[in-house]
């Protein structure tokens, strides 16, 4: 199956993230490397793009450009600048 990476537009991303921000975050504060709304947003975008299995979603997310990760609120390590993958 061919996967398509659809752009996460600047116009659509804030609305999606605002809606997902209403979901309570059950994670322990020390285990949060990325804000919760961005994680389901990645899954939603991957599924809309044709991914149906967890491995396909992970591969789709790995192919995202940095600009998309930034719009999703993904954080970077303050000392190295590296972005930990969820």
């Amino acid at each position: 199956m061919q996967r398509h990476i659809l752009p996460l537009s600047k116009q659509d991303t804030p609305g999606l993230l605002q809606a997902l921000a209403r979901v309570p975050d059950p994670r322990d504060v020390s285990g949060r490397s990325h804000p919760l709304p961005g994680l389901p947003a990645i899954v939603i975008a991957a599924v809309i793009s044709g991914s149906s299995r967890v491995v396909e979603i992970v591969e789709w997310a790995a192919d995202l450009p940095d600009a998309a990760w930034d719009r999703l609120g993904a954080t970077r390590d303050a000392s190295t600048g590296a972005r930990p993958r969820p």
Side-chain angles (χ1 to χ4, degrees), residues 6-85:
L6 300 176
L8 296 169
S9 75
K10 291 179 182 179
Q11 294 80 17
D12 295 334
T13 307
L16 176 61
L17 293 176
Q18 287 173 354
L20 292 171
R22 290 184 240 151
V23 175
D25 191 343
R27 300 174 296 170
D28 184 82
V29 174
S30 64
R32 298 178 188 181
S33 51
H34 298 292
L36 182 64
L39 301 176
I42 291 168
V43 174
I44 291 167
V47 170
I48 290 171
S49 298
S51 299
S52 60
R53 297 181 305 142
V54 172
V55 69
E56 293 172 345
I57 293 168
V58 170
E59 290 171 350
W60 185 92
D63 292 338
L64 282 176
D66 275 345
W69 283 103
D70 291 339
R71 284 195 299 275
L72 291 169
T75 57
R76 291 183 183 268
D77 183 282
S79 60
T80 66
R83 188 183 321 274
R85 297 291 182 194

